[in-house]
Amino acid sequence: MTQPSITLPASGAYSLVNLRLHRSHLEKPGSLVFDTEGFALAEIDISAGAIDRIGPSGQGAARSQAIDCRGAIVFPAFVDCHTHIDKGHIWARKPNPDGSFPGALTAVGEDRQANWSAEDIERRMEFSLACAYAHGTKALRTHLDSVPPQEDISWPVFETVRDRWKGRIELQAACLFGIDQALDEAWFNRLADLVAGHRGILGAVTYMVPDLDMLLDRMFVKAMDLGLDLDFHADETDDVGAISLDRIADAALRHGFEGKILVGHCCSLARQPDARVKATLDKVARAGLSVVSLPMCNMYLQDRRADATTPRWRGVTLLHEMAARGINVCVASDNTRDPFYAYGDLDVLEVYREATRILHFDHPVGEWPATIAANPAQAMGLADAGTLKPGASADLVLFRGRSLTELLSRPESRRTLIRAGKLIDATVPDYQDLDDLMEP
Ligand SMILES: [Zn+2]
């Protein structure tokens, strides 16, 4: 990944010619001619770090400094809207004993209590962000485990890390706790103030606890008081009784909530009867929720069987039905090399490749490439990310592949990264860098 396939002129004014752009990554299709997968041969003029012009290949007044991309696909730099960089890369010292969801919860809880000092999480966050940056990500939201006393350790570290990465990765964070913990109202109020103080997002895991509606009300009221967006982990289970997505949509409508709400997982929706699915999704659309699917983590944890039998469902939620209703849908990384997911490297192209296979983002490709670009940018409230348009920062990922089958059949580990019009070093850190943290 260290050798760019192109060199760029020092002047910073040049044209990338003979490249392929996807319709879903463009603000306006202009006069581009798209093939059946939605790709068009195009060229991009760049100067002073920004996109000046996007036009059909060979038809514009391409600059004398023209770089031939040989028909390769160019994506906007990635937006990864659901990650856990506070948990990442602890696998070597704390594996999941059986690959199950309860196994993950217990293992992470034990590791958090034993090891999550400020230094430990800061170094693992840095490692994760170096990976994400080297794969082409420019904006990322993480959840931060915020059960006592972790909130007072993790949030100040997050603020330091966000400042350090400013200009490279735009970082957001949402607090994470089981929603029943908010029964302790004094603790919850203090946490919400802490989150607001760090310009974070109010988040929780919405288990089907008896007081769920009341607790959601508590979170919505607090978010409106403090001007915070909301982010929930919902229904990450095959239990058809898990319907917290429906309850979140109800709460959003009940409160007339005007901020942004992102809901992750929603796995159990795929197990519910059609009538319930339809009623829930109509409500989700009306409430304006965004939904993010985490296909790699879901495939790993859902339908994991203790009796040495084979999994029989894919674990992902109903993104096609959601997109058909106009719901803003995204896919994202979720966990990396921790008990919730043994693998992963915050490579959003890998997420998209796996999503294509697991969720059938193909035949037709349609607008699915937006699920790692414009859609998460919208869910995160980012104006300058996810869309290629004149005036936007020239933040691009240039691949080798020229079509979807070429793009998704190889890891594309020699992709070229352009940020603000310049080539950046795309080297992932060595695993050895974290070895000293992995000793028991
Ligand atoms: Zn998650």
Side-chain angles (χ1 to χ4, degrees):
M1 208 178 292
T2 50
Q3 295 148 346
S5 57
I6 58 171
T7 52
L8 297 179
S11 72
Y14 57 92
S15 299
L16 298 174
V17 303
N18 192 22
L19 53 82
R20 277 189 171 81
L21 300 179
H22 196 266
R23 185 180 50 222
S24 70
H25 291 151
L26 298 165
E27 186 184 50
K28 293 195 189 111
S31 52
L32 297 178
V33 179
F34 298 97
D35 64 20
T36 52
E37 289 185 334
F39 290 103
L41 272 172
E43 57 193 31
I44 303 177
D45 293 345
I46 291 168
S47 68
I51 295 173
D52 287 339
R53 183 187 68 90
I54 299 170
S57 192
Q59 290 184 16
R63 292 199 167 89
S64 56
Q65 302 269 31
I67 293 115
D68 184 356
C69 298
R70 302 195 302 160
I73 290 170
V74 170
F75 274 12
F78 305 131
V79 181
D80 202 348
C81 69
H82 182 130
T83 72
H84 294 265
I85 62 172
D86 58 342
K87 292 188 175 81
H89 301 283
I90 62 172
W91 185 270
R93 71 183 184 209
K94 199 67 183 177
N96 185 327
D98 57 7
S100 71
F101 191 88
L105 263 188
T106 304
V108 164
E110 288 171 0
D111 191 69
R112 188 195 314 117
Q113 284 170 23
N115 295 314
W116 290 23
S117 64
E119 192 211 338
D120 177 68
I121 54 173
E122 182 166 354
R123 284 190 47 206
R124 289 186 293 98
M125 282 182 176
E126 285 288 330
F127 187 94
S128 289
L129 293 170
C131 298
Y133 187 65
H135 292 305
T137 290
K138 73 173 272 184
L140 179 145
R141 176 179 293 182
T142 184
H143 298 264
L144 296 178
D145 279 19
S146 295
V147 290
Q150 195 61 44
E151 69 274 42
D152 290 319
I153 302 169
S154 293
W155 279 90
V157 171
F158 169 75
E159 178 123 17
T160 302
V161 170
R162 178 173 59 195
D163 288 347
R164 197 180 292 139
W165 280 85
K166 198 169 187 308
R168 291 180 290 165
I169 296 180
E170 170 112 17
L171 270 174
Q172 295 184 350
C175 61
L176 188 65
F177 58 91
I179 196 165
D180 47 331
Q181 187 123 18
L183 284 168
D184 181 346
E185 194 166 11
W187 171 82
F188 172 69
N189 288 341
R190 186 180 171 279
L191 176 68
D193 286 340
L194 180 73
V195 169
H198 290 288
R199 293 178 290 124
I201 291 136
L202 201 56
V205 187
T206 52
Y207 296 115
M208 293 302 294
V209 293
D211 299 310
L212 179 59
D213 292 328
M214 181 273 284
L215 293 168
L216 284 170
D217 284 343
R218 186 167 285 178
M219 289 190 70
F220 274 80
V221 167
K222 182 57 77 176
M224 291 193 292
D225 277 356
L226 296 174
L228 301 175
D229 289 339
L230 289 164
D231 192 318
F232 297 102
H233 278 69
D235 310 327
E236 191 178 355
T237 170
D238 64 354
D239 177 1
V240 292
I243 54 163
S244 72
L245 173 63
D246 190 72
R247 303 289 189 84
I248 292 166
D250 275 336
L253 293 167
R254 188 160 65 239
H255 291 277
F257 189 76
E258 291 180 349
K260 292 186 180 299
I261 304 171
L262 178 58
V263 188
H265 294 293
C266 313
C267 307
S268 65
L269 188 70
R271 315 287 280 170
Q272 288 165 5
D274 287 351
R276 175 169 276 286
V277 167
K278 184 175 180 312
T280 297
L281 291 188
D282 287 347
K283 214 182 287 178
V284 168
R286 257 189 299 134
L289 308 185
S290 292
V291 174
V292 57
S293 181
L294 297 311
M296 300 189 313
C297 225
N298 290 162
M299 190 80 131
Y300 178 81
L301 286 175
Q302 299 304 311
D303 210 11
R304 172 84 55 176
R305 292 156 180 245
D307 59 354
T309 56
T310 307
R312 307 206 182 152
W313 76 295
R314 298 179 184 215
V316 288
T317 195
L318 304 180
L319 283 203
H320 288 264
E321 292 82 344
M322 292 178 184
R325 281 172 172 75
I327 296 167
N328 184 45
V329 291
C330 316
V331 290
S333 289
D334 211 4
N335 299 69
T336 45
R337 302 186 60 248
D338 69 38
F340 285 89
Y341 186 52
Y343 316 106
D345 203 35
L346 297 182
D347 177 2
V348 174
L349 183 70
E350 183 193 15
V351 174
Y352 190 76
R353 183 169 58 241
E354 294 307 305
T356 296
R357 295 165 181 169
I358 298 168
L359 282 150
H360 288 176
F361 280 2
D362 48 14
H363 327 309
V365 177
E367 306 304 307
W368 292 117
T371 56
I372 54 167
N375 295 5
Q378 183 188 327
M380 290 172 68
L382 303 172
D384 190 24
T387 305
L388 301 175
K389 58 188 174 187
S393 181
D395 298 327
L396 309 169
V397 185
L398 168 59
F399 299 107
R400 304 273 164 152
R402 299 164 299 171
S403 61
L404 205 68
T405 178
E406 289 186 1
L407 179 69
L408 301 184
S409 296
R410 290 179 179 170
E412 286 278 359
S413 30
R414 292 168 67 210
R415 69 194 74 166
T416 300
L417 306 181
I418 297 174
R419 295 294 305 276
K422 296 193 173 74
L423 291 178
I424 62 162
D425 180 22
T427 308
V428 290
D430 288 328
Y431 291 129
Q432 283 87 339
D433 295 354
L434 294 178
D435 279 356
D436 63 301
L437 295 180
M438 296 302 123
E439 289 156 12

